[in-house]
Amino acid sequence: MTIPAAGTYELDQAHKRIGFVGRHMMVSPVRGEFTEGAARIVVDEDPLRSSVAATIRSSSIVTGHDDRDVHLKSPDFLDVERFPTLEYRSTGLVPQDEVDPIFFWARLRGNNRLGRRVGSDLGAPPARASGRFVLKGDLTIKDITRPVDLQVEFGGTRTDLSGQEIFGFTASAEFDREDYGLLWNVALEGGGVLVGKSVRIEIAAEAIRQS
C-alpha cells in the first residue's frame, strides 16, 4: 500500500459522490446525494495523525423526485434555510489490518511436518495492511453534533493526466436520523413507518494535492 505524500488535499469536484440511502415504507431503499460538498484532507508525515474537515451544502440534496426533495429541505427534515450546511470533523484514524490466510496455512503445514501438534505454538496469524481504516469523527446536522465513524477504504495514489498527485477512497457509515432531530414520520396501518430511521452514508471520491 502506497501512502499519499504528506500535505493538504482537497476533494476533486469532478470525481466525487456524496451519497446516502434511506428506506421507504420499510421495504425499499431510496438513494440520493448531495451535489455540493467540499473536504480538506491533511495527510501527516505520520499517516495515522492525518485529519479531515468536510462541509456539505444541505440545499444540494437530490433524490430524483422533486416533491420528495422539497420535503427533505423543509423544517420537517434538514430545514436548509436555518441550517445551510452539514459538517464533519475527524477526531482520529485507526487502521484495520487483516489476517493473511495463505501465510498462516503455510506455517500450519510446516509445523505438521515436524510432528508437532497443529496450532500448538503458532501464535497469532500474521496481519497485513488492508487499506481499510476507521475514521473517527463528529457529524453535525441542524446544530446537533454526534460521533459517527466512517469505514474508509483507501483506493491508492496516482499522478493524473495533468501531473497532479491524487488518491482515491470510499467511505460509509450508518446513523439514526432521529439522533439529529429529524423526527418526521407517518405510522403505517400494517405496522412500521413511512420513512426508515437508519441512514447509510456512501462516499466515493478523489482528492488532489494542493501546491
Side-chain angles (χ1 to χ4, degrees):
M1 183 173 61
T2 303
I3 302 297
T8 299
Y9 293 74
E10 292 188 357
L11 213 59
D12 182 355
Q13 295 299 311
H15 299 95
K16 67 166 174 51
R17 184 180 188 276
I18 306 169
F20 63 88
V21 183
R23 204 152 190 85
H24 179 247
M25 295 191 71
M26 312 295 291
V27 296
S28 63
V30 173
R31 296 184 180 273
E33 67 178 293
F34 293 92
T35 59
E36 297 179 30
R40 189 176 185 85
I41 304 166
V42 178
V43 177
D44 195 87
E45 293 290 349
D46 175 356
L48 296 182
R49 296 178 64 88
S50 301
S51 62
V52 178
T55 298
I56 298 168
R57 181 67 56 182
S58 58
S59 61
S60 70
I61 190 170
V62 291
T63 64
H65 190 284
D66 290 344
D67 289 343
R68 179 167 57 220
D69 294 349
V70 169
H71 193 194
L72 290 173
K73 295 174 186 179
S74 76
D76 283 343
F77 288 98
L78 293 177
D79 198 358
V80 301
E81 295 297 327
R82 293 182 59 207
F83 306 101
T85 63
L86 292 72
E87 309 283 340
Y88 188 81
R89 299 289 182 270
S90 68
T91 57
L93 185 63
V94 180
Q96 300 294 293
D97 291 335
E98 62 184 19
V99 170
D100 191 326
I102 294 176
F103 290 124
F104 192 47
W105 176 243
R107 292 173 69 196
L108 283 173
R109 292 185 63 189
N111 257 28
N112 213 24
R113 289 195 191 99
L114 297 175
R116 298 173 183 168
R117 184 163 55 88
V118 172
S120 60
D121 59 355
L122 292 180
R128 60 183 176 183
S130 65
R132 295 184 176 90
F133 301 84
V134 175
L135 182 67
K136 295 182 172 296
D138 295 323
L139 176 64
T140 301
I141 301 175
K142 296 178 73 172
D143 279 357
I144 298 173
T145 301
R146 296 279 187 271
V148 171
D149 294 345
L150 289 169
Q151 303 295 319
V152 179
E153 184 164 359
F154 177 62
T157 64
R158 290 284 182 181
T159 300
D160 70 10
L161 298 178
S162 302
Q164 301 178 107
E165 296 177 58
I166 68 170
F167 69 85
F169 65 93
T170 60
S172 62
E174 289 193 16
F175 65 90
D176 187 331
R177 65 183 177 87
E178 291 192 348
D179 289 344
Y180 293 92
L182 308 176
L183 305 176
W184 186 91
N185 227 325
V186 173
L188 301 176
E189 186 175 338
V193 291
L194 182 65
V195 183
K197 296 180 181 182
S198 178
V199 177
R200 179 174 175 81
I201 302 169
E202 297 178 339
I203 300 170
E206 292 177 8
I208 304 174
R209 192 168 190 260
Q210 304 301 294
S211 57

